[in-house]
Amino acid sequence: MGAMVALVLLTVVAVGSITYVSLKSSILQFEYDRARTSAIRQAATIEGAIGRARDDALILSKTPAIAEYFEAAGSGAGTAGAREAEAWAARLALFFVSQMESRKEYLQMRVLGAAGRELIRVERADADGAPWRVPEDGLQEKGQTAYFKEAAMLPAGGIYVSPINLNREHGKVQEPRIPVVRAAAPVRGGEDEGGLLGVVVINLDLRGIFEQARKNPIAPFETYLVNPDGDYLLHHDPAMAFGFDFGTPHRIQDHAPPVREALDGGAAATVGVDEAGERFVYALAPVRAGKAEVAWVARRAPERALLGSTTEALKSAAMGGAAALACAILLAIGLAYSLAQPLKRLTQAMQRFAAGDPEGAPVRATGEIGVLAQAFEQMRRTIAEKTEALRLEVGAKTTAMKEASRLAETERLYSAVVGSTDDAVVTKDLNRVITGWNRAAERLFGYTAAEAIGREIDLIVPEDRRAEQDQILARLKQGERIEHLDTVRRAKDGGRLDVSLTISPLRNREGEVIGASKIVRDLSERRMAEERFQLAVEACPSGMVMIDQAGKIVLVNKETERMFGYGREELLGQPVERLVPERFRGEHPGYREGYQRSPETRKMGVGRELKALRRDGTEFPVEIGLNPIESKGEHFVLAAVLDITERLRAIETIKQANAELERRVAERTKELEESAEALRRSNEELGQFAYVASHDLQEPLRAVAGCVDLLAAKYKGRFDEGADELIRHTVDGASRMRQQIHDLLALSRVGTRTSPPMRLKMDQVVEGAKRALRVALEESKGEVVHGGLPDAMADLPQVQQLLQNLIANGIKFRNEKAPTIRVTGEAEGEWCHYCVADNGIGIDPKYFGRLFTIFQRLHTRAEYPGTGIGLAICKKIVQRHGGRIWIESAPGQGAQFHFTLPKA
């Protein structure tokens, strides 16, 4: 009886365990798939936003306006070039503003120069703020940022998408914190046709997407966003997000190490155990920008929360097992009174059933054993039926979840494509009711999706185009696809839009047409561009001729008619060789075919003579520029023809004028050289005369001064006061005469006695001047402050004389304060700018013009002694070195003497 009970108990436990494991696996798989589908949709939302920014940056880098801006900025054409560059910058800024008004998720749109400095920047202060252009003083250097360096290394047409991080301004994280992705595309071109002109950058604000992910969890799952390294970008605890931007990274693998392996292996789901030992289920989906992964969406839930229903099933199975065990005990007691053989057969049948043998029990047994056998058989069949039903149900759910996952992936891809396209996409049913409306449709027609979906398509169809809808509907019901139908539609503001429609029938699973999908492309800009092109060609001062691949003329302008003498109708459809002189016509088709094999913009007529033929048979010289053009799959060549007859005449006239001018210049140059030589000799003779005169005057002056000094020393006091006064005047006059001759001699030596220029350590030269003026500095208690002066290339003795004179000037013209003279300097290009500033009595600006003139004094000799030659010597020394000297001062505020010398 014990064996019987144990056997029944084992059977119940086995069946219950199989049921529990199967149910647990099915529930976990269902929850995996549900969470992963949600993660995939969230990832698709982020990918769509990044994809739009990526595409916009790439398109902007190729737009002609960007190229025009860089061409104007790099032309170096002075004020006119700067104005043109600013005009293009203003146009681009307005375009950026319009883009950001339609793309609310854009935080910044910028153009960076080749060195990384911001040239144009349009931003919004917050998520709901209006975009505005940042002024010049707000632009920043971005040359050291990773996104600039990465984009600068890409070829033309390349695009770089940065990792997700917090926006920074001036190197610091912006508050409030804004998660961003930057899409950066290089702009290449210029003279080397590949050089880096700059980089276009779009900052994508992810706050809205993060907030959507945070507010739309799938219970019991929590939502996280991590970068490829596992760092948290989105976490229910804000302190855990973007820790790596502040030097304290928080990573998902720190809490669930298996997640790191799942990210590296590209797994869709994994199980991790936290620090407390609790098991968590993770569903993962990558966020890609192109082929690169920029983030992962992770959904996390405790395994126990997902298996709540399984626990209830386990309790039910336990109760059923207990009931079955009680029945087995009762049966065993009854069997004790039955025959042994039927009991043996029944026991064997149960053993076989427990071993998986489907053979039934001996239901034809009599008595209690027969009843038990029938009950056991009924239980076996019930268990088998329920197990099979459960297997079929699990299989059906698994198939349904796989189909749901496939449909979700398809829907994600379709939504990403439709959401990111710049063309409006509209779907409708056969009753003309709008069922789909993407963002491009919102921008084109002005209606939001909420306003348009559910209303009839006549909402955007003008009344004069309503009949067109019946024809379109009839063709769609036949399953026909309509391509490139040019028509007119109506915007919300009532304006008419020129559009091109591509309409495809939508079918259900049975293949029946249930609606239509329309791709609506705005032709307004193209039509406007065509009109502008036609007006530009027509108004062009050059003759414009367009030919097709067969060499036939398809377009001419008024200037072509005037230049060649043909009417427009006479040229259209004719071979272009009609405008070529007869002697060149045989070779011209070969030139034309060679150009078509490698078409490129060419300027012809430079360095060779080209001739064209008028209707009257006369020939005239021309210059021709060629530009290849492609339109709707056809190739054309647009030729700009310029009649250079007047130019050649002008060139000949200029050549003759130049020859005459060269002759006159040669004659005048010879005259000037002769005058310069005579002036040089005169200056040399004058300088020599001044030196000799000054030197020779000293001999008799010394004799007179010596006698007067002896007379003053020997006979002082022997005469009356008048005689003593005359002797003092004579001594003073001789002394002043001696000083003036000495200064005149120094002035003459500036031009005659020179040393070769050498590298001067100006701080050392100042020290030499201080030593020469040591006595004067000690008597006046003055000081000279200097340091860090740039080196000059000059004559050492003369520069020391220059500094000595200027410092002595500061000591002499002092007030009651002790004199302080500061010598400063800085390099400015190829020159060094020095300044000698004092704190003395200062000079009235009205006397500046007299300061550097010889013998000019502003004070009496009794007030301040001197000859009035010192500053004249300074000016001559500076001018001899090619520099200039000037003064800045005001009465009572000291004087600042500025001068320049060549930089070493």
Side-chain angles (χ1 to χ4, degrees):
M1 183 177 69
M4 185 83 176
V5 172
L7 181 60
V8 172
L9 180 60
L10 179 63
T11 301
V12 171
V13 171
V15 172
S17 298
I18 292 172
T19 303
Y20 174 74
V21 171
S22 176
L23 184 59
K24 175 182 176 182
S25 176
S26 298
I27 290 175
L28 286 179
Q29 185 61 47
F30 173 76
E31 295 293 347
Y32 282 158
D33 293 340
R34 186 168 72 98
R36 176 161 168 74
T37 299
S38 172
I40 288 172
R41 288 179 177 173
Q42 189 63 52
T45 300
I46 301 174
E47 286 178 2
I50 294 175
R52 286 190 293 275
R54 186 174 178 270
D55 293 343
D56 284 350
L58 189 57
I59 292 171
L60 281 174
S61 69
K62 299 178 180 179
T63 56
I66 290 286
E68 292 286 354
Y69 167 69
F70 278 112
E71 181 179 352
S75 65
T79 304
R83 285 199 299 267
E84 184 179 0
E86 175 56 29
W88 278 109
R91 295 189 191 105
L92 287 172
L94 287 175
F95 176 69
F96 288 174
V97 168
S98 67
Q99 281 286 93
M100 291 177 67
E101 286 176 346
S102 63
R103 299 219 191 276
K104 300 297 184 182
E105 67 274 20
Y106 285 0
L107 182 66
Q108 294 178 353
M109 295 183 72
R110 295 174 288 164
V111 176
L112 276 58
R117 175 167 177 79
E118 293 178 335
L119 304 177
I120 305 171
R121 175 175 172 184
V122 175
E123 66 179 17
R124 61 176 94 246
D126 51 56
D128 299 322
W132 65 289
R133 181 183 178 186
V134 176
E136 177 70 24
D137 57 2
L139 301 181
Q140 304 175 30
E141 293 289 345
K142 298 295 183 179
Q144 297 302 315
T145 58
Y147 59 85
F148 173 78
K149 293 179 179 179
E150 293 288 343
M153 292 188 293
L154 295 175
I159 185 74
Y160 169 73
V161 178
S162 73
I164 300 174
N165 53 26
L166 295 178
N167 197 50
R168 290 176 177 268
E169 292 297 335
H170 301 287
K172 297 182 180 179
V173 173
Q174 185 178 3
E175 294 293 345
R177 298 178 181 179
I178 303 175
V180 296
V181 164
R182 299 172 181 85
V187 181
R188 295 193 176 274
E191 294 181 357
D192 54 1
E193 295 298 334
L196 180 68
L197 298 178
V199 175
V200 175
V201 184
I202 295 177
N203 284 26
L204 175 64
D205 186 348
L206 298 177
R207 284 180 294 180
I209 295 174
F210 278 23
E211 188 64 23
Q212 178 189 7
R214 184 182 289 110
K215 290 183 177 179
N216 295 288
I218 297 183
F221 284 90
E222 296 175 338
T223 301
Y224 301 90
L225 191 67
V226 299
N227 64 17
D229 292 328
D231 296 295
Y232 285 114
L233 306 175
L234 176 66
H235 195 283
H236 57 80
D237 180 3
M240 299 288 285
F242 291 99
F244 60 91
D245 263 333
F246 302 94
T248 55
H250 303 287
R251 295 182 171 178
I252 194 168
Q253 56 264 37
D254 296 339
H255 308 100
V259 175
R260 175 73 268 167
E261 299 175 5
L263 294 178
D264 292 339
T270 188
V271 176
V273 181
D274 68 0
E275 298 87 342
E278 184 171 4
R279 290 169 60 85
F280 284 85
V281 172
Y282 290 85
L284 308 170
V287 179
R288 295 185 175 91
K291 297 181 179 180
E293 293 175 356
V294 296
W296 284 78
V297 177
R299 304 280 196 189
R300 187 187 85 154
E303 191 177 72
R304 57 179 170 75
L306 301 177
L307 297 178
S309 59
T310 309
T311 304
E312 294 299 323
L314 182 61
K315 290 180 181 178
S316 300
M319 294 177 64
L325 180 61
C327 292
I329 293 173
L330 294 175
L331 287 174
I333 294 173
L335 285 174
Y337 301 97
S338 301
L339 296 175
Q341 191 63 32
L343 181 59
K344 182 179 180 181
R345 288 199 302 270
L346 182 58
T347 301
Q348 292 173 346
M350 289 182 177
Q351 290 173 345
R352 289 194 300 271
F353 178 75
D357 189 345
E359 183 180 346
V363 296
R364 287 183 287 183
T366 59
E368 289 83 355
I369 294 177
V371 174
L372 180 59
Q374 290 177 357
F376 177 76
E377 177 64 15
Q378 182 63 35
M379 182 183 70
R380 183 192 67 79
R381 289 177 180 174
T382 300
I383 291 174
E385 290 172 357
K386 289 185 177 181
T387 302
E388 179 64 17
L390 182 59
R391 184 185 67 79
L392 293 175
E393 181 180 355
V394 170
K397 286 185 177 181
T398 301
T399 302
M401 286 188 290
K402 289 181 179 179
E403 179 64 16
S405 178
R406 185 187 66 80
L407 291 175
E409 180 70 12
T410 302
E411 180 182 352
R412 181 185 72 83
L413 294 174
Y414 173 76
S415 298
V417 171
V418 171
S420 62
T421 182
D422 288 332
D423 291 331
V425 178
V426 180
T427 60
K428 66 176 183 178
D429 60 20
L430 295 181
N431 294 321
R432 300 186 180 187
V433 176
I434 298 171
T435 58
W437 191 270
N438 72 345
R439 289 187 178 181
E442 292 180 340
R443 293 193 299 271
L444 179 61
F445 294 106
Y447 294 99
T448 64
E451 293 173 322
I453 294 176
R455 299 177 67 176
E456 290 192 1
I457 197 68
D458 289 346
L459 176 71
I460 58 173
V461 180
E463 291 186 3
D464 58 346
R465 299 282 178 162
R466 298 283 170 85
E468 180 182 85
Q469 289 298 303
D470 296 330
Q471 301 172 6
I472 293 174
L473 194 59
R475 295 172 64 180
L476 287 172
K477 289 180 178 179
Q478 299 298 321
E480 183 180 349
R481 174 182 168 89
I482 303 171
E483 295 186 358
H484 307 305
L485 173 64
D486 289 354
T487 184
V488 178
R489 288 295 179 261
R490 182 178 60 198
K492 184 177 182 179
D493 60 6
R496 294 170 69 88
L497 303 173
D498 291 322
V499 297
S500 174
L501 303 181
T502 297
I503 311 173
S504 302
L506 297 178
R507 303 176 186 271
N508 59 17
R509 293 185 178 180
E510 289 74 30
E512 299 173 345
V513 176
I514 59 173
S517 171
K518 295 184 179 182
I519 298 176
V520 187
R521 178 161 295 175
D522 186 2
L523 299 181
S524 303
E525 291 187 4
R526 192 178 80 184
R527 293 278 169 81
M528 188 179 298
E530 290 174 352
E531 291 177 5
R532 289 174 178 171
F533 174 76
Q534 186 66 33
L535 290 173
V537 169
E538 199 64 31
C540 182
S542 301
M544 304 299 290
V545 180
M546 183 182 290
I547 64 172
D548 59 17
Q549 286 182 291
K552 298 295 181 65
I553 299 174
V554 297
L555 179 146
V556 295
N557 67 347
K558 291 182 179 179
E559 180 61 17
T560 302
E561 295 179 282
R562 186 200 65 76
M563 188 183 301
F564 288 92
Y566 288 100
R568 190 168 306 202
E569 66 283 353
E570 295 179 276
L571 290 176
L572 295 179
Q574 298 298 316
V576 71
E577 282 76 18
R578 186 169 186 174
L579 306 178
V580 177
E582 184 70 31
R583 63 183 183 280
F584 299 129
R585 288 181 183 175
E587 301 173 353
H588 192 266
Y591 293 144
R592 179 164 46 79
E593 292 171 3
Y595 177 81
Q596 289 174 348
R597 283 193 295 270
S598 57
E600 60 181 1
T601 301
R602 293 186 193 173
K603 178 181 282 189
M604 300 181 64
V606 177
R608 57 182 291 190
E609 184 178 355
L610 294 179
K611 296 289 187 179
L613 182 67
R614 295 191 181 94
R615 183 180 183 183
D616 60 8
T618 58
E619 297 182 7
F620 61 100
V622 294
E623 181 176 291
I624 301 177
L626 301 180
N627 293 278
I629 294 176
E630 183 178 353
S631 176
K632 296 182 179 180
E634 296 186 61
H635 296 273
F636 301 89
V637 177
L638 181 64
V641 184
L642 183 64
D643 184 351
I644 60 174
T645 303
E646 293 302 322
R647 183 200 298 176
L648 294 179
R649 289 175 184 166
I651 289 173
E652 184 61 30
T653 302
I654 291 171
K655 286 181 179 179
Q656 295 174 0
N658 282 342
E660 177 63 20
L661 182 60
E662 288 174 359
R663 184 186 65 78
R664 293 184 180 180
V665 167
E667 293 176 354
R668 182 59 177 161
T669 301
K670 185 176 180 180
E671 293 175 1
L672 290 175
E673 288 175 349
E674 292 174 352
S675 299
E677 179 61 23
L679 181 61
R680 184 186 62 80
R681 289 196 300 268
S682 175
N683 286 338
E684 288 180 354
E685 292 170 356
L686 183 60
Q688 186 175 4
F689 169 77
Y691 175 76
V692 171
S694 300
H695 185 274
D696 292 347
L697 282 173
Q698 290 189 78
E699 182 64 28
L701 181 62
R702 277 195 294 269
V704 172
C707 291
V708 173
D709 288 340
L710 287 174
L711 181 64
K714 190 172 182 178
Y715 295 101
K716 183 178 181 181
R718 295 189 181 187
F719 304 106
D720 57 14
E721 290 184 3
D724 288 343
E725 182 69 20
L726 289 174
I727 291 172
R728 282 197 301 272
H729 280 305
T730 304
V731 171
D732 182 57
S735 176
R736 284 189 283 107
M737 184 66 178
R738 184 187 304 115
Q739 185 62 43
Q740 285 183 343
I741 292 174
H742 177 271
D743 290 346
L744 280 172
L745 190 59
L747 181 63
S748 68
R749 285 173 176 170
V750 172
T752 58
R753 293 192 178 182
T754 61
S755 300
M758 59 184 295
R759 186 185 190 97
L760 301 184
K761 300 289 186 182
M762 292 296 288
D763 283 307
Q764 297 178 7
V765 178
V766 175
E767 287 296 327
K770 286 171 60 178
R771 287 193 294 272
L773 297 170
R774 180 175 57 83
V775 175
L777 286 169
E778 290 176 353
E779 290 177 352
S780 64
K781 298 181 181 180
E783 63 172 343
V784 178
V785 180
H786 66 96
L789 298 178
D791 295 350
M793 196 73 179
D795 185 327
L796 174 58
Q798 291 191 359
V799 173
Q800 186 155 344
Q801 180 69 45
L802 167 67
L803 288 169
Q804 189 172 321
N805 287 0
L806 294 177
I807 294 172
N809 217 56
I811 297 172
K812 181 194 300 184
F813 295 101
R814 64 182 183 272
N815 49 29
E816 65 276 3
K817 299 179 183 177
T820 299
I821 294 94
R822 298 183 184 276
V823 183
T824 58
E826 61 181 355
E828 296 178 352
E830 297 180 356
W831 294 87
C832 293
H833 174 194
Y834 302 97
C835 177
V836 179
D838 60 54
N839 62 341
I841 62 175
I843 302 170
D844 194 319
K846 67 182 180 181
Y847 298 122
F848 286 176
R850 298 170 49 190
L851 281 179
F852 299 102
T853 305
I854 188 170
F855 298 131
Q856 291 295 316
R857 296 174 50 83
L858 304 182
H859 305 277
T860 66
R861 291 187 179 88
E863 294 176 308
Y864 298 100
T867 62
I869 299 178
L871 290 180
I873 292 174
C874 292
K875 180 178 180 180
K876 191 167 184 180
I877 291 173
V878 172
Q879 288 180 338
R880 178 183 168 269
H881 287 82
R884 63 190 187 96
I885 185 169
W886 69 98
I887 183 174
E888 294 176 354
S889 181
Q893 298 182 14
Q896 300 87 42
F897 286 93
H898 299 264
F899 62 93
T900 60
L901 294 174
K903 187 172 71 173

